[in-house]
Amino acid sequence: YGGMGLDFSYNIAVAEELGNIRCGGIPMAIGVQAGMATPALTRFGSDELKKQFLVPTIAGDFVACLGISEAGAGSDVANIKTTAVRKGDEYVINGGKMWTTSGCQADWMCLLANTSEGPAHRNKSLICLPMNLPGIHVAKKIDKLGMRSSDTAQIFFEDVRVPSKNLIGEEGKGFTYQMLQFQEERLWGVATVLTPLETIIQETIDYTRQRKVFDQSVLHNQAVHFRLAELATEVELLRSLLYRTIALYVEGNDVTKFASMAKLKAGRLAREVTDSCLQFWGGMGFTSEVLVSRFYRDLRLMSIGGGTDETMLSIICKYMETLPSK
């Protein structure tokens, strides 16, 4: 379908390289195309759907977005309220989506909607939704703290009709398909922060080496260079966890636990590195003129988007069987 047919480890190599872009928004937008909106279509979509949506998305002619989160359902995917009711050979969609990356410019959406009244984990389906259909309203571009180069939309659906053949895979399997997509999304996110964290640490070393306080460089203080050494070690540990997880995933293993651990650690380490390094930049770190302040804002999303830290902890606990049974 226009791709190179390589395994997922190559996606991660690309994600790491995109970390050299000096902002978080562009790697995230590309990640929506490569690892968030398209994996389910690639795995489970019909040949017709792949030709219609996947081929132009891979070519870069279409922008894709992922319609999961809602105003009352972010990490709690099972609680979404958007419906897609089957009427003849069409689905009629009503509801809305929130925090939709690239939603203001997307050509199509990988939409998760309730297609039946059944149990929450078995009543959802994924649908390829062209964004130019009547009844789709992009309400606003959300003004965000960080990732400001990436548009994030609030979208409403009012009696939107889409052909039933746009269903990805089987009806009622959407929640399962989306959980599989989430693993690739989270691993992509981890990979994209590695290079920025290394860059921030190195730029902080360079700055504190030449910045003088009390007749000596800031870097000369043991509290500073020990802290930077500790943070660099943490980045390498995160990289090792990511690579182990990817190797297992490529072999066909369930990596939900390790992917959740990596996502949790990446979000927390992004906060820790940017906060500590910004402190060492002093007043200059509080300006918009240096990279550390931009990543301080951009990378804060790692602990929120794609499943919060708290959601990752719940998943890890489930796999460790530390949660009480219901």
Side-chain angles (χ1 to χ4, degrees):
Y1 298 97
M4 297 178 69
L6 303 172
D7 66 51
F8 186 67
S9 66
Y10 290 86
N11 290 44
I12 295 302
V14 170
E16 275 197 72
E17 189 64 26
L18 289 173
N20 286 299
I21 298 172
R22 295 171 72 85
C23 77
I26 294 172
M28 182 176 69
I30 296 172
V32 170
Q33 299 269 106
M36 302 179 199
T38 52
L41 174 59
T42 303
R43 282 198 189 96
F44 307 109
S46 67
D47 185 62
E48 183 180 353
L49 277 185
K50 290 177 184 177
K51 288 178 180 177
Q52 183 179 353
F53 294 99
L54 186 60
V55 169
T57 302
I58 290 173
D61 296 326
F62 276 8
V63 173
C65 67
L66 182 62
I68 305 296
S69 295
E70 299 180 4
S75 295
D76 184 10
V77 176
N79 197 40
I80 66 166
K81 305 301 182 187
T82 297
T83 60
V85 179
R86 184 75 175 264
K87 293 187 177 180
D89 59 356
E90 293 180 318
Y91 286 105
V92 180
I93 300 167
N94 283 281
K97 295 296 176 180
M98 190 72 167
W99 316 118
T100 306
T101 300
S102 301
C104 296
Q105 58 179 309
D107 296 286
W108 70 280
M109 172 186 286
C110 179
L111 171 74
L112 185 69
N114 297 314
T115 49
S116 74
E117 298 290 336
H121 295 88
R122 295 196 293 272
N123 74 336
K124 294 170 175 55
S125 303
L126 285 175
I127 298 169
C128 290
L129 179 66
M131 291 294 287
N132 59 355
L133 296 177
I136 297 178
H137 308 286
V138 179
K140 66 176 180 178
K141 177 182 177 181
I142 299 169
D143 189 15
K144 309 186 300 295
L145 170 68
M147 299 292 193
R148 297 180 66 84
S149 63
S150 170
D151 65 283
T152 306
Q154 181 180 21
I155 301 170
F156 295 105
F157 310 113
E158 184 178 358
D159 293 331
V160 179
R161 293 181 173 271
V162 63
S164 57
K165 65 181 181 180
N166 282 26
L167 175 72
I168 297 175
E170 297 179 41
E171 189 171 286
K173 292 289 187 68
F175 184 87
T176 300
Y177 296 161
Q178 184 52 44
M179 292 304 104
L180 292 172
Q181 278 195 151
F182 271 152
Q183 301 316 309
E184 295 195 1
E185 172 182 342
R186 288 162 183 166
L187 293 170
W188 174 281
V190 173
T192 59
V193 303
L194 290 174
T195 304
L197 295 183
E198 286 182 324
T199 301
I200 291 166
I201 292 170
Q202 186 57 54
E203 290 197 2
T204 302
I205 291 171
D206 296 340
Y207 181 72
T208 54
R209 177 179 284 117
Q210 57 87 23
R211 181 185 174 207
K212 297 295 179 84
V213 175
F214 303 123
D215 296 324
Q216 67 176 12
S217 71
V218 172
L219 186 63
H220 186 72
N221 290 281
Q222 187 180 84
V224 176
H225 59 242
F226 272 20
R227 180 60 175 151
L228 293 171
E230 182 180 28
L231 293 172
T233 302
E234 292 289 322
V235 173
E236 286 306 315
L237 289 170
L238 177 60
R239 187 192 308 278
S240 295
L241 174 58
L242 174 65
Y243 287 178
R244 181 189 181 193
T245 305
I246 295 301
L248 290 169
Y249 185 69
V250 170
E251 291 172 359
N253 296 288
D254 178 5
V255 296
T256 305
K257 182 177 78 170
F258 287 153
S260 301
M261 288 177 170
K263 168 67 166 58
L264 171 69
K265 184 62 178 177
R268 292 191 168 178
L269 188 58
R271 293 156 66 181
E272 196 175 358
V273 169
T274 54
D275 185 70
S276 293
C277 289
L278 189 149
Q279 181 71 21
F280 297 151
W281 282 75
M284 182 59 71
F286 204 65
T287 72
S288 297
E289 298 179 16
V290 292
L291 184 65
V292 66
S293 66
R294 182 169 197 169
F295 278 135
Y296 181 86
R297 293 181 288 106
D298 282 0
L299 299 189
R300 184 61 180 82
L301 185 61
M302 270 298 298
S303 283
I304 301 170
T308 63
D309 285 1
E310 293 73 22
T311 302
M312 297 304 101
L313 286 166
S314 295
I315 294 170
I316 295 164
C317 287
K318 177 184 175 183
Y319 275 81
M320 294 175 63
E321 299 183 345
T322 61
L323 292 178
S325 58
K326 294 183 180 180

